[in-house]
Amino acid sequence: MNVNAKHADERRLDAQFAFLLEADRLKQVIRATTLADGSRHENSGEHSWHLALYALALADQAGPGVSIDRVIRMLILHDLVEIDVGDVPIHSANGTAHGSAQVTAAEAKAADRIFGLLPTDIGADLRALWEEFEAAETPDAVFAKALDRVQPVLHNIAAGGGSWKDYNVTFDQLDARVGQKVARGAPAVWTYVRKRARGFFDQL
Amino acid sequence: MNVNAKHADERRLDAQFAFLLEADRLKQVIRATTLADGSRHENSGEHSWHLALYALALADQAGPGVSIDRVIRMLILHDLVEIDVGDVPIHSANGTAHGSAQVTAAEAKAADRIFGLLPTDIGADLRALWEEFEAAETPDAVFAKALDRVQPVLHNIAAGGGSWKDYNVTFDQLDARVGQKVARGAPAVWTYVRKRARGFFDQL
């Protein structure tokens, strides 16, 4: 290997590790949802791990044509933009903040910066997966979104209300803001979880 | 669908969600390594996410025949047994605790319990992946192990010593306990990281 090629390899690894060290900051982004035992709020790094495990454990609930491996890749990447933008809870601002034009623009800028730390080829591949997740149109993205939405429902039930209490959420709001997206990607999962959420709200 | 089939589907989802709620506890298993900024210790849930991201960002460092998707699956699962056994730091007990017969037996028992929460078919598949990782013989497992070993090195350098200070680790011990396993799965990564670790120890 000549000296220039060696320098190019080192520069490539410099970029790969710069990205991986920056990504570490996602462990300090705090979400509205708590751990299942309610002991503390969850961070977006551990949340992303948990969702990848959801994809492995609930793979049989994915629709035809879904690649669980692509779903897992999306879930690993899906919250990286929160390093710059923070978590925008589904139920905050009465359900209007998440997905607003302002947040969407800030997340695109964050994606420019964060995926831009990587060598160009890797950054382009990972950013394309993140954009596919955000667009929520392909079967893989629709299933990934369903998992992202359903996990907090399980935690709120287990923790005695969690972010539903913090944001005064009603069952109908949950059904509209969360249920529709879970049902779109994993209908039998929503039937199962909705019954338990209904039971939780009924005994309030 | 008849009533019995419906009950079977519900029982299957009961088992899937029992596993996913139990897995949440991995976020409370604290590791010897800190975050890169040294602000707190890392937990094994967020660590597992970070390693999956390592696999995505360093995929070009994998040897021939490595499936990055299988590597990612292993990394998502690899620490679940710590829910029962806790993290056993590489450098604890002067390097003798990690991989001891006692720890290995405890981890096998933990795997029985934790993967046993799942429906039998899913539990058997995921446990086989975990065992493949532990055996560290296949190319996928060897690469996954290399990533698991190298991430703390980056964090210790970034944080000014981290677990190396806590356990009085020398550069030669690092080279033996960590370097060999990183070099086996990702030789160019170890060449790159070793130089930086060498520089860190030299200025102590």
Side-chain angles (χ1 to χ4, degrees):
Chain A
M1 189 184 291
N2 68 38
V3 171
N4 283 341
K6 189 174 175 197
H7 285 176
D9 285 351
E10 279 216 33
R11 277 199 305 273
R12 191 169 166 88
L13 283 164
D14 283 342
Q16 286 161 301
F17 282 113
F19 168 80
L20 288 167
L21 279 174
E22 179 67 15
D24 194 60
R25 296 176 57 202
L26 191 62
K27 301 168 190 169
Q28 295 179 305
V29 173
I30 305 303
R31 291 168 44 77
T33 309
T34 65
L35 301 193
D37 70 2
S39 58
R40 64 164 171 82
H41 283 255
E42 189 184 37
N43 73 60
S44 293
E46 64 198 3
H47 165 72
S48 299
W49 162 74
H50 206 182
L51 292 187
L53 195 65
Y54 266 64
L56 281 179
L58 292 169
D60 61 355
Q61 294 292 334
V66 169
S67 159
I68 291 299
D69 288 315
R70 292 189 80 250
V71 168
I72 289 171
R73 288 176 178 232
M74 283 180 200
L75 291 170
I76 292 165
L77 301 169
H78 83 292
D79 272 346
L80 279 174
V81 292
E82 293 184 359
I83 290 170
D84 288 356
V85 180
D87 176 50
V88 181
I90 301 283
H91 300 295
S92 63
N94 202 25
T96 62
H98 193 93
S100 70
Q102 194 184 354
V103 169
T104 302
E107 289 183 345
K109 199 175 155 192
D112 289 345
R113 184 184 76 77
I114 295 163
F115 294 116
L117 294 170
L118 283 162
T120 316
D121 56 330
I122 305 173
D125 283 354
L126 299 193
R127 185 177 179 143
L129 267 175
W130 173 74
E131 287 184 355
E132 182 179 336
F133 172 83
E134 283 295 304
E137 287 165 1
T138 64
D140 293 346
V142 168
F143 187 63
K145 283 268 182 190
L147 300 179
D148 187 29
R149 286 293 196 283
V150 82
Q151 184 246 21
V153 179
L154 275 298
H155 284 217
N156 281 347
I157 294 171
S163 63
W164 296 334
K165 283 190 176 165
D166 298 338
Y167 292 106
N168 295 309
V169 177
T170 66
F171 180 77
D172 288 344
Q173 286 171 337
L174 177 71
D175 224 12
R177 293 176 192 159
V178 171
Q180 288 184 15
K181 293 205 169 132
V182 181
R184 188 172 167 220
V189 168
W190 186 240
T191 302
Y192 175 92
V193 173
R194 186 180 191 276
K195 184 158 81 175
R196 282 142 185 91
R198 174 80 267 175
F200 175 84
F201 279 91
D202 284 350
Q203 50 88 41
L204 284 182
Chain B
M1 191 186 291
N2 67 38
V3 171
N4 283 340
K6 191 177 171 193
H7 285 175
D9 285 352
E10 279 217 30
R11 279 198 304 271
R12 190 169 167 89
L13 283 165
D14 283 342
Q16 288 162 300
F17 282 113
F19 168 80
L20 289 168
L21 279 174
E22 180 67 13
D24 194 60
R25 294 175 59 204
L26 191 62
K27 301 168 190 169
Q28 295 179 306
V29 174
I30 304 303
R31 292 168 45 77
T33 309
T34 64
L35 301 193
D37 70 1
S39 58
R40 64 164 171 82
H41 283 255
E42 190 184 36
N43 72 62
S44 293
E46 64 197 4
H47 165 72
S48 300
W49 162 75
H50 206 182
L51 293 186
L53 195 65
Y54 265 64
L56 281 178
L58 293 169
D60 60 356
Q61 295 291 333
V66 170
S67 159
I68 290 299
D69 287 315
R70 291 188 82 251
V71 169
I72 290 172
R73 287 177 179 232
M74 284 180 199
L75 291 170
I76 292 165
L77 300 169
H78 83 291
D79 272 347
L80 278 173
V81 293
E82 294 184 0
I83 291 170
D84 289 356
V85 181
D87 176 51
V88 182
I90 301 283
H91 301 294
S92 63
N94 201 26
T96 62
H98 194 95
S100 70
Q102 194 183 356
V103 168
T104 301
E107 289 183 343
K109 200 175 155 193
D112 289 345
R113 185 185 75 78
I114 295 164
F115 294 116
L117 294 169
L118 282 162
T120 316
D121 56 329
I122 305 174
D125 283 354
L126 300 193
R127 188 182 174 136
L129 267 175
W130 174 74
E131 287 184 355
E132 181 179 335
F133 172 84
E134 283 296 304
E137 288 166 0
T138 65
D140 293 347
V142 169
F143 187 62
K145 284 268 183 191
L147 299 180
D148 188 28
R149 285 292 195 284
V150 82
Q151 183 246 21
V153 180
L154 274 298
H155 284 217
N156 281 347
I157 295 172
S163 63
W164 296 334
K165 283 190 177 166
D166 297 338
Y167 292 106
N168 295 310
V169 177
T170 66
F171 180 77
D172 288 344
Q173 287 171 335
L174 177 71
D175 223 12
R177 294 177 193 160
V178 171
Q180 287 183 15
K181 294 208 168 129
V182 180
R184 188 171 167 222
V189 168
W190 186 239
T191 302
Y192 176 92
V193 173
R194 186 181 191 276
K195 185 158 79 173
R196 281 141 188 89
R198 175 80 269 176
F200 175 85
F201 279 90
D202 284 347
Q203 48 88 43
L204 284 182

